[in-house]
Structures are given as C-alpha cells and as structure tokens.
Amino acid sequence: MKVKKFLGVFLSLLLLISLFPVSPLAETKSEDLIEVEAAPLDPSIDPMGLKHPISYIDEDVEGKADFIMLYTSEYAKEILVKQFWVAVQVDANNKVTDVVSQSVNGAPPVWEEEQSLAIPEGGYVLLAHDDSWATKNFRKFLATNFKVGDTIKLRKNGNEVPITEFMTGDGLKASINLENELMYTLTKSQADISGSIQNIESDQSYQLLVNGQEVELQEGGSFQYVYELAKGTNYIDVEIYKNDILHDVKSLVVYYQDNPSVEEKEVFLWVEQGPSARRFQSSEDVRNMLLEAKDAGVTAVVLDVKGVEGFASYQKNDLTNRPYVSEMTAEGRSGSNPDLDLLEEFIKHGHELGLEVHASFNVFAEGSIAHNEFAVLNDHPEWEEEVYRSEDNGAILPLRESTYGKSGALVTFVNPSNPEVRDYQLKTFEEVMKNYDVDGVLLDRGRYDNYFADFSDLTKTQFEEFLNKKGKTLTNWPEDIFYYEGSNRVDGPLINEWYTFRSGVINSYVEETRELVDHYNSSENRDIQLSAYVGSWYESYYLNGVNWSSPTFSYDSRLQFPQESLYGEEYRQTAYTDKLDFLMIGTYQTTSQEINKYITLGNILTDGQVPLYAGMALVNVQDPALQREVFQAGLQNTSGLMLFDYSQANFPVIKASIADEEYVKDYVLGISNPIQPESPFVGDFFNVNRNDDNLNVYSDSFGLSTGTNKWGVEAVVDANGKVVKMVNKKQAMNWNWTAVEDNNSLIPEGGFVVSALDRSGAREKRVLVGTNFDIGDEVRSALLKGFLEYEGKTYPTVGFEYQGKVQVVGPGEADVQVNGSPATLQSNGEFTAQLALQPGENQIEIVVTVDGFKTHQQTVTVIGEELTFDEVIEFVENATFTNKGIQQAVLAQLESAQKDFASAEKLKEDGLVEQAEEAKASGNQKLEELQLFVQKHAGKHIPEEVAEQLVSYLKSL
C-alpha cells in the first residue's frame, strides 16, 4: 500500500510539473518548478510564505486558462488586466507596489475595471485568471496573500532566484499582435494576415516570417500579408526574430472550403421532447408550428422520438413496447394527448409543407433523475451505468445509488457495452424506420455519460479482452485507468487505452446502426439518412467515449488539445463520421468568436468528408444582432444550421437572422401594475418562447402551457383578469432557489400568463414579477402597434393623423388616449387621432387602458414641418376633383398667391419694405378667398375629405 501511495504521489508530482511551461526565452527547463512565494504570515514563527507555481513566463494569454503568469520588463512596458482578473505589480527590489482587485479578509474582491498595469523596469507583474473563485486557487492566491509593501520571492526548484533568472538580457521581447482570429474558416482561397510587432526598438534588426516567407515590416511595426490557402486545413506560423533570435511565434489555423451559396443551405429546427410534447394537443397545433418554422426559413425538423426519460413520441412500438410520452407523470411533463401520434403528425404536415422530418433518439439515456421519470430502466436495473466517482470513496455503484446520483445528476445512462442495451436501442431505431416515413434517424447521446462510467464487471471483462488483443494486461482495477486523490482524478498507465476502448464501443454501435439503416434503404427502396449530434468541444469529448472526427483527420500539436498523447493511430481507427450521412455539432458557445472557432474546428475534424451543420443554442444567442452574426457564420462556413431548440425559438428573430436582416420588433407589450397602477410594465415578447432576460406574456393561442423551465417566475391570470396562481414567488422575493417550482404553467382559456426569467444569478425580472403580482390581483395586458411608422419621421404641421392599433391579451376592453384626448377606436383595435403639430419636435403620448387598468404610456417623437406652396400645389394636382374646371381654378389661385409671396420676399431683400408688405397682403387675401371658394364647392365639385384637407393646408401657408 505504501508503494502504491508513493507511486500515486510521484505521478501526481510529474503531472503537476508538466503543467508549468515557460517561455523559450527563459533559461529554464520544462521540468523546472517555478514558484512565487508570498510574504510570511508571521516571520517570527515561520520565515517562509505560502507558495504557488507559476504557469507561464512572458507568454501571451491567448488560448490559456487557469494560470498565474509572470511578466518581466522584457515582455512589454505594460500588461492588460481584464475585469475579474487579479494582478500584482512588483518592483526591482521584490516589493509589491500595487495589487489589482485585492481581497479583503478572504472575501471575493470588489472587481476593478479593465486597466493597463505598468511592468516596472527590473521588476515584474504577476497576473492570475481562472473561472471559479470558490473552487480554484489562482486568482484567490494573489488576491488574498499579497498587499502593497510586502517583500516577496521567486523560487526555482526551491531556490530563491532574482527576476533576471527568467530574462534573456536581450532587451524588450518582440511579440506578435495578430488582428486575425487564431482559428477561422474561409470560403475564398486567400487569407489576409495582418498585425503588428510590439516593442520594436529602432537600433535593433527584425525579421518577420510567415511559414518561412519573409514579410516586410512597415513603419511602427505593422504588417500585412496575403497567404495562398490550400483546400482544407492550413497551419500558418508567424515568427518574429530579433537580432536573429526567435522571440515569438503565433500559429493560425485556417480552414478553406468551397461552399454553396447561403440560399442553398439547410436549416434544421430541433424539437426536444420534454419541454414541447404537451404543447402539441392537436394536429392543428403541429401544423401551425411547422408553418411558422417554414416561414422563418426552416427547411427540416428534428423531432425527439425518444427523450432522455425513455418515452416515445410515436405510438407504433411493436418491437420495444416503449411507453408513449403521454404516460409521463412529472409536473410540467404530463398532459400530452394520448390520442395524437406526434411523429405521424410531424411527418404528415412536414411533408405537405416540403419539410424533411428526422427522428432523434437519446440513445443511451434511459431516465431523468431530475423529473423522476424512468420509462423502461426500472424494469432493467442491470442496464444502468455503474460509476466510479470520488464522492463514493472508491466504490463502484449504479448511478442512482451513488452520491452524485442522489444529489446532482440529471440523466441516467445505460451501459453502451451491454449487448442487451445495444439490441434494445437498435430495435427502437428499427420500429421507427419500419412504421414511419422518416427522412432520417439521428443519434443523440450516443455516448457514455462521462469519464466516470461505465465500470461494471461486464465492461471490465470487455476491456481486458481489448487489452489482451494488444498484448497488454489489466493489473489494478480501476486504478490502472485512474484513481482519486481526494476529489482530484489521477490518470493511470492505461488511461489512453481506456479512452480508445470506449470510443471503439461507440464506433461499433454506430456501425450497427448504419447497417440497419442500409438494410431498410435497400430492402424498401428508401433513402433514410443517418446522422448524429455531438458537442463541438471535441478536445474534451474523449471523456464521453466519442471520436466524432473523420478517419482521415490527422492531429497537429498547433490545435493544442489537452490529451495530446491520445490522438495516435489506434484512436484514429475509432473515428465514426465515415458511417454518417451528415453530422451536427453543438456550437453552443456564447460569443461569436468562440462559435466561429468551433465551427472551424468541426470543419478540420470532419475534413470535408461529410456535410457539417452548426448547432445554435438559441438560449445563448437571443440578442438579435448576435444571433444574426452567428447564424450567418454557420450558413457561410458549414452546410447549414441546427437550431436548438423549439422551446427557445423566437421565430420573428430567427427569420431576420436567417435572411441576414436587422430585426425590428413592431409592438410594445404592456402589462398593468397592481402595485403602482400609473406605472405599467413593458414586456419583451408575446407568445414567444421565454429565454434569459425575458418578461413574456402568453395567451391561450400559444398552446396548452408556457413550455418554460423551472427557474422562472410566473403569474397565471384567468379569463376574469385575476391572478389565480403564482409560481416561484417566494423564491424570487427571498432569493432562495433551493426548492423551485416547475413553471410550464397551464394557460387559462381566455386568460394569460406573465412569465419572467433572468440570466443565472440575476434578479431583475423575476423579482419584479414576484414582488408586484399576487393571487387575487387584477391584471390586464395588451399590445400596442403602429408607433414605428411615426418615430422620428417628418410630417406637415397641419392635418396630421396618428393611426395605430391596440390588441388586448386575455380579457377586457381597451381605451386609447392620444395627447390627453380620446382616440377614435374601432372594434378591430385600430385607432386614429387628429393632431396639430408644431414646427420641430413633437411628443405624442399614447395611453392605453384595459378595463381602466393602464397597460401603456408610450411616447412617440415626430417632426413637424411647415408646408410649402409646391407641396400644396402637388396635393391639388393629385387629388380627385369631380369638376376639372374647379380644380384648375384652385391651381390658378394658388399659383397667383405663390407669386405674390415670392414678390414680397424679393422686395424685402431690395429694401422696399412697404411694397413687400403690400405684396404679402395680396397673397394672404387670395388664400382667404380660396378657402371660401373651396368650402363653397365642398361636397359638390370637390369631395368633402379633399376639401377638408385642402382648407387645413391653406391655413398653414
């Protein structure tokens, strides 16, 4: 046991040391341990301070995470410290002179704004970043252990060393600042590479190379270069030499492909089973949703026919007897129509509308711990995955018996190595292809749960057989794979074999599915496509036992995958995309830069061998501008999009994003305020799936229920306008979410639901609903439309008519006031108001009440502009007169008056004031006479509405 423990500690130390790469400029070796030592807590007791390893020295932070960096004065004159990062400035005497975002008494810092921090000459700066203050000790180490005035130390392999130990003596380091992203896709054959060299010194010589080709440096160190791309993946190294010594290297990875135009791309809409099944209560519900989707630009639908709970969204289950989704009992999941075959309805209406329908299967997921739903797993407990997790102190347990299964797990997986499991899943695929005219079948969760599964005896036996074929032996189970030191996982000697074995298990299942699909295609003359969904984060997907690359993909170290030793020939043989017709990858990142990076990584990994679709997590890209940007990146750089999922779909925004157009919402959603009646709420969307930072309203035309998740707050209003139910009111008011209530509220017929959700941890909209609404309150809601037609526009100062529309949501009658006067309101909600405008800006206030409850107080700004004679003449020329002679008489009098006013202006310019006044008086008299003339002929030779408009124009001249 002591030997075993020593080996574990030794391996851990080796792993720890391997994490400390340093700059090639520093005189250090890869095995050197570089540390920073804080000032001792009490030198009279212990002269040593706390120490922490340095992760990198004088290196760019790009692509790195979880680190403490050391920057010498050779790297730059200053360093950028981002918000939520921690930095310590140290002078040439090792004295701390500044701390950015310092902790007080160990608490999280009051995070300072982004700033540049000078690197003192002969001193240095320590910079820390990680993604968890609570669980990681990079930022926390600097923030809690360093303060201004402390004298600190640097150590190398335990020995105190000066900062010069890590400096070259060659002066400032020449570093490359690229304007390009480090990984991206192009559909043209040339890459424009540009950037600049930092720390250029006039008395030194520099050479810039791009893949060995010298590039001219412009004055100030900037450069531009056009690189000719080869088809597929291009690795481009940009190097800067100072005095013939290499100072910095940046590597670009550019994927070049020819792609069809955006108009030819496919757009899949994913319909997840759990949140959506009970939304479809009738055949009409399915058709209406598909009509909306097609109008938005969707070309195909992916329907979850087997959800994570194990229930089917189809009823012809003659091979598996899977229970139908209507048998779910969990709150928020129950209530699907037992008489509606969802898959059949999707196929019928989808094909009528020209949409493909692909059936998705959560292959190795067979139960929801979160909802306590297990369609078939309780009848086959031997199928359940057995997990090996640190919380269980070395025990291998079925997931639901493990600590994690009892406290944190959401989904239960079954063992992909189990022959019975595999056969049952294949029969699930088969009964769908046998009984339904699907266009494709798709593997989702066709993987292991994570690195902690499966450690059953059955899997152990299969792994031993796998090793025997390679001449290897399993000695210690499971320690040869990995073991735990506390909560930290430590890899054993067979870790890569384990990853390869599991990936091979999944590969063989995909092959069996391929054979089944091919059988149905050949025997029934069909064209069913086989596809898969995977996460785009391939660099960590090996933990799930999946190698979704192409067998032709060859790993390059410039991709910087963490488990580099894995990607050899044996692992390459487990790649499975050659068995697919197409692949969907979840580019579910939250910034356009990251999404573009992972689209490119997907192109590199699939090597152009199969069509690739970029999956978009709609919940992450609700901002219309961001959604448009990332949708267009996916459409331009892959075969198309997969939108995940319908429960987060905002079809008007999706339509604009696919069409590459700016989205403009044409209504204001108003909600009365029970607490402050004069201050109504402005909602975000009406009858649109709720997402983060949304305050939405749902009427019964949306469907049976809101389809929302459990983390929101909802007020249910009945057909009488009274709040009859509150969901998560106390949780929002007390901000305690340990016992949340399911949302997905039923929408009362004739009523509506007010539903709010914030970003994780944010309180604004949930607290608003929880605080201001209560059971028994009277609440009304309405939509106001038409204001966009007027905002910022210019109109004549007379004869202006404002037109709009109000649509009541739920119960009640609307009343509209415009600038304090009642508007003329029609039964369809359209309203008009006649207004006199002043020259310049005019504020028009529209107040909407429903049953006396204020829902809107909207202000619109319009610009008033005085009419000219030419505009009035044009109006008369285009107006309909019943007598042409009268029309000509009006025009003649107008033109005569116009000449008088023009003459008055000319006389005034010439200084003939008295004559100018006489000409102006003559013009005014002609206009007055013309008004009388028009009024005399109104309703006879001049239509009433034309006469009324014309008189108002004449008064304004």
Side-chain angles (χ1 to χ4, degrees):
M1 181 60 72
K2 289 182 179 179
V3 172
K4 183 176 176 182
K5 183 175 181 181
F6 172 80
L7 178 62
V9 173
F10 178 72
L11 289 172
S12 298
L13 183 59
L14 286 178
L15 178 63
L16 185 65
I17 293 172
S18 71
L19 295 176
F20 308 142
V22 294
S23 166
L25 295 178
E27 293 295 325
T28 58
K29 301 176 183 178
S30 60
E31 64 267 24
D32 288 330
L33 176 61
I34 312 302
E35 298 172 294
V36 59
E37 181 182 322
L41 296 175
D42 187 344
S44 64
I45 298 175
D46 187 352
M48 303 284 286
L50 296 174
K51 295 186 287 292
H52 195 290
I54 298 293
S55 309
Y56 304 93
I57 298 176
D58 282 351
E59 289 202 21
D60 191 350
V61 300
E62 183 70 38
K64 300 178 177 68
D66 296 348
F67 55 71
I68 293 181
M69 293 275 194
L70 171 63
Y71 289 108
T72 73
S73 54
E74 287 187 335
Y75 181 79
K77 296 184 182 298
E78 60 183 20
I79 199 73
L80 180 66
V81 184
K82 298 182 180 180
Q83 191 178 26
F84 305 115
W85 292 23
V86 178
V88 175
Q89 183 188 61
V90 187
D91 68 13
N93 297 313
N94 287 317
K95 182 170 287 189
V96 175
T97 51
D98 195 6
V99 179
V100 177
S101 293
Q102 185 173 8
S103 168
V104 178
N105 298 324
V110 176
W111 300 104
E112 299 182 32
E113 296 295 321
E114 183 176 294
Q115 59 188 274
S116 292
L117 187 64
I119 303 175
E121 186 65 35
Y124 53 96
V125 166
L126 300 165
L127 182 68
H129 170 258
D130 57 52
D131 58 9
S132 175
W133 175 269
T135 63
K136 296 180 179 178
N137 194 37
F138 297 91
R139 292 182 299 168
K140 186 181 293 185
F141 182 79
L142 293 189
T144 58
N145 294 300
F146 294 78
K147 63 182 185 296
V148 174
D150 284 351
T151 298
I152 66 174
K153 298 176 181 177
L154 295 173
R155 293 188 180 274
K156 178 177 177 181
N157 300 325
N159 297 313
E160 183 179 351
V161 292
I163 187 62
T164 53
E165 180 75 13
F166 309 109
M167 300 170 70
T168 64
D170 295 328
L172 279 171
K173 175 187 176 183
S175 59
I176 301 168
N177 180 27
L178 284 174
E179 295 174 356
N180 305 65
E181 301 293 343
L182 296 184
M183 185 182 292
Y184 59 100
T185 294
L186 286 176
T187 54
K188 61 179 184 178
S189 62
Q190 294 180 327
D192 298 319
I193 301 172
S194 61
S196 60
I197 305 302
Q198 293 180 316
N199 302 326
I200 289 283
E201 298 171 284
S202 59
D203 58 345
Q204 306 294 312
S205 72
Y206 298 90
Q207 184 183 35
L208 179 68
L209 301 180
V210 176
N211 273 6
Q213 179 68 43
E214 186 165 2
V215 176
E216 181 182 359
L217 285 173
Q218 304 298 319
E219 187 175 351
S222 63
F223 64 87
Q224 291 183 323
Y225 182 73
V226 178
Y227 184 86
E228 295 292 334
L229 298 170
K231 287 285 182 67
T233 308
N234 294 261
Y235 296 97
I236 306 171
D237 294 324
V238 183
E239 302 171 306
I240 184 67
Y241 290 81
K242 176 182 177 181
N243 300 328
D244 298 324
I245 298 173
L246 178 64
H247 269 229
D248 196 14
V249 180
K250 289 287 193 305
S251 295
L252 295 172
V253 186
V254 182
Y255 190 85
Y256 166 46
Q257 63 177 1
D258 286 328
N259 245 349
S261 65
V262 168
E263 288 74 17
E264 301 173 25
K265 301 299 180 71
E266 298 285 347
V267 178
F268 289 81
L269 174 66
W270 194 295
V271 182
E272 192 175 11
Q273 184 189 86
S276 302
R278 82 177 191 184
R279 291 266 295 274
F280 304 109
Q281 290 295 311
S282 67
S283 178
E284 185 181 16
D285 289 341
V286 175
R287 179 175 173 78
N288 288 341
M289 187 280 284
L290 293 176
L291 279 168
E292 273 195 283
K294 182 176 182 180
D295 179 66
V298 169
T299 62
V301 176
V302 178
L303 175 66
D304 256 354
V305 298
K306 179 209 164 188
V308 296
E309 296 88 353
F311 292 87
S313 300
Y314 58 89
Q315 295 181 331
K316 299 171 186 175
N317 57 352
D318 53 318
L319 300 181
T320 66
N321 294 314
R322 277 192 186 277
Y324 188 56
V325 69
S326 61
E327 296 184 41
M328 296 178 72
T329 59
E331 184 182 3
R333 305 277 171 157
S334 62
S336 296
N337 186 346
D339 301 318
L340 190 74
D341 189 324
L342 276 176
L343 179 56
E344 189 66 52
E345 295 297 330
F346 267 79
I347 292 171
K348 178 177 72 174
H349 294 303
H351 287 176
E352 286 174 357
L353 296 170
L355 300 172
E356 290 187 359
V357 178
H358 294 248
S360 167
F361 303 78
N362 282 271
V363 184
F364 295 116
E366 283 290 358
S368 170
I369 295 176
H371 291 95
N372 195 31
E373 293 276 15
F374 305 94
V376 300
L377 186 58
N378 287 340
D379 295 329
H380 298 280
E382 72 279 8
W383 291 359
E384 185 171 350
E385 62 181 338
E386 296 194 24
V387 301
Y388 171 44
R389 294 184 58 92
S390 62
E391 306 96 326
D392 299 317
N393 299 316
I396 295 172
L397 299 169
L399 177 66
R400 289 180 290 176
E401 296 179 20
S402 70
T403 303
Y404 177 61
K406 293 175 181 178
S407 62
L410 301 176
V411 177
T412 306
F413 277 65
V414 289
N415 181 7
S417 298
N418 188 317
E420 291 183 6
V421 166
R422 295 163 71 94
D423 180 64
Y424 189 72
Q425 305 306 331
L426 285 170
K427 285 179 178 176
T428 305
F429 277 83
E430 184 173 5
E431 66 188 2
V432 168
M433 292 187 288
K434 172 174 173 281
N435 297 314
Y436 297 90
D437 185 23
V438 293
D439 298 291
V441 290
L442 184 148
L443 297 97
D444 184 20
R445 290 188 169 89
R447 56 177 173 82
Y448 286 85
D449 194 351
N450 210 309
Y451 65 85
F452 47 70
D454 173 272
F455 283 84
S456 65
D457 289 341
L458 187 153
T459 299
K460 176 187 176 185
T461 299
Q462 292 184 5
F463 184 49
E464 288 177 319
E465 293 171 356
F466 170 84
L467 291 172
N468 288 337
K469 292 178 182 178
K470 301 181 179 301
K472 297 181 180 180
T473 303
L474 177 65
T475 304
N476 299 302
W477 172 264
E479 288 85 354
D480 280 355
I481 299 169
F482 61 79
Y483 56 94
Y484 293 102
E485 291 184 346
S487 60
N488 296 320
R489 193 186 82 235
V490 181
D491 289 346
L494 296 178
I495 187 64
N496 281 346
E497 286 79 2
W498 176 250
Y499 291 143
T500 303
F501 159 73
R502 296 196 317 158
S503 185
V505 169
I506 299 302
N507 179 298
S508 65
Y509 180 81
V510 177
E511 185 172 8
E512 291 171 1
T513 310
R514 176 80 265 174
E515 292 171 355
L516 182 63
V517 172
D518 289 345
H519 167 73
Y520 271 87
N521 282 341
S522 60
S523 63
E524 299 186 4
N525 192 28
R526 296 170 68 180
D527 187 21
I528 304 170
Q529 293 185 294
L530 176 63
S531 61
Y533 162 79
V534 292
S536 63
W537 41 98
Y538 178 88
E539 68 272 24
S540 62
Y541 227 68
Y542 65 91
L543 296 170
N544 299 99
V546 173
N547 181 1
W548 56 261
S549 68
S550 166
T552 60
F553 164 71
S554 179
Y555 179 71
D556 187 286
S557 61
R558 283 167 286 193
L559 293 173
Q560 297 184 337
F561 291 172
Q563 192 80 5
E564 287 200 336
S565 61
L566 175 62
Y567 302 101
E569 182 59 32
E570 287 188 4
Y571 192 71
R572 186 196 301 206
Q573 292 174 7
T574 69
Y576 71 44
T577 53
D578 58 326
K579 302 171 179 64
L580 302 175
D581 293 302
F582 62 87
L583 180 70
M584 295 177 174
I585 61 171
T587 49
Y588 290 170
Q589 293 76 24
T590 57
T591 68
S592 59
Q593 178 181 344
E594 283 291 288
I595 289 172
N596 283 322
K597 170 186 173 181
Y598 279 94
I599 284 174
T600 299
L601 183 58
N603 286 328
I604 293 169
L605 291 161
T606 54
D607 202 20
Q609 301 301 303
V610 295
L612 181 74
Y613 294 87
M616 301 289 168
L618 295 176
V619 69
N620 291 340
V621 291
Q622 280 300 300
D623 175 73
L626 173 62
Q627 186 178 111
R628 178 184 179 185
E629 180 182 356
V630 299
F631 275 26
Q632 290 304 310
L635 287 169
Q636 291 164 12
N637 298 326
T638 68
S639 299
L641 304 176
M642 182 275 282
L643 311 181
F644 186 86
D645 83 295
Y646 165 60
S647 68
Q648 277 101 30
N650 185 333
F651 284 122
V653 177
I654 289 171
K655 183 175 183 177
S657 298
I658 292 173
D660 197 15
E661 298 172 351
E662 181 184 4
Y663 168 73
V664 179
K665 188 172 66 173
D666 64 350
Y667 64 86
V668 172
L669 171 62
I671 310 161
S672 67
N673 185 340
I675 302 297
Q676 298 179 19
E678 291 303 309
S679 302
F681 301 121
V682 177
D684 292 299
F685 296 106
F686 172 62
N687 281 353
V688 166
N689 296 305
R690 187 192 72 192
N691 289 281
D692 287 352
D693 294 323
N694 281 178
L695 175 60
N696 292 358
V697 171
Y698 300 93
S699 72
D700 57 2
S701 63
F702 181 73
L704 178 71
S705 68
T706 59
T708 46
N709 66 31
K710 64 184 180 180
W711 299 107
V713 178
E714 295 189 330
V716 180
V717 181
D718 69 8
N720 297 313
K722 287 188 180 295
V723 177
V724 294
K725 181 182 179 182
M726 290 294 301
V727 180
N728 286 334
K729 175 181 174 68
K730 292 181 179 178
Q731 288 84 341
M733 294 177 68
N734 300 328
W735 206 250
N736 186 338
W737 296 85
T738 56
V740 294
E741 300 171 288
D742 194 79
N743 290 192
N744 203 3
S745 299
L746 296 176
I747 305 171
E749 185 175 352
F752 58 91
V753 176
V754 181
S755 183
L757 183 68
D758 300 291
R759 302 180 311 280
S760 177
R763 306 187 178 197
E764 180 184 356
K765 296 185 178 181
R766 287 178 286 182
V767 170
L768 183 149
V769 174
T771 302
N772 289 277
F773 294 85
D774 207 349
I775 293 174
D777 285 344
E778 293 270 359
V779 182
R780 300 293 187 273
S781 181
L783 304 178
L784 177 63
K785 301 181 179 180
F787 59 93
L788 287 178
E789 301 297 324
Y790 297 95
E791 183 63 44
K793 305 289 179 59
T794 300
Y795 297 92
T797 53
V798 295
F800 174 74
E801 181 180 75
Y802 184 93
Q803 298 178 344
K805 184 173 183 178
V806 63
Q807 175 186 337
V808 175
V809 179
E813 296 292 330
D815 178 77
V816 181
Q817 301 264 327
V818 179
N819 279 357
S821 299
T824 302
L825 181 63
Q826 301 178 34
S827 59
N828 64 358
E830 293 180 354
F831 64 89
T832 57
Q834 303 293 328
L835 301 173
L837 301 181
Q838 299 298 318
E841 282 195 1
N842 292 259
Q843 303 296 316
I844 301 174
E845 184 182 65
I846 302 115
V847 175
V848 179
T849 58
V850 179
D851 294 345
F853 297 92
K854 185 187 288 188
T855 60
H856 294 82
Q857 187 166 342
Q858 181 76 22
T859 300
V860 180
T861 301
V862 299
I863 311 300
E865 183 178 68
E866 293 184 355
L867 281 173
T868 65
F869 270 97
D870 288 339
E871 288 171 333
V872 178
I873 290 170
E874 183 180 3
F875 170 78
V876 173
E877 289 174 338
N878 294 324
T880 302
F881 281 68
T882 55
N883 186 301
K884 292 294 182 182
I886 297 295
Q887 185 178 26
Q888 291 303 316
V890 171
L891 286 171
Q893 187 77 337
L894 266 174
E895 289 168 354
S896 178
Q898 184 182 30
K899 289 179 181 178
D900 286 345
F901 281 102
S903 176
E905 287 294 323
K906 180 68 169 59
L907 291 167
K908 186 176 179 180
E909 288 176 5
D910 293 341
L912 303 173
V913 178
E914 186 175 341
Q915 293 91 326
E917 288 297 327
E918 289 176 359
K920 183 177 179 181
S922 174
N924 282 327
Q925 183 177 352
K926 289 176 182 178
L927 290 178
E928 290 172 3
E929 291 172 354
L930 184 55
Q931 290 179 43
L932 294 172
F933 179 80
V934 171
Q935 289 168 343
K936 175 181 176 181
H937 292 282
K940 300 174 185 177
H941 303 113
I942 306 175
E944 287 281 2
E945 62 275 11
V946 174
E948 183 181 349
Q949 189 75 37
L950 180 53
V951 168
S952 68
Y953 286 172
L954 294 172
K955 289 179 179 179
S956 70
L957 289 174

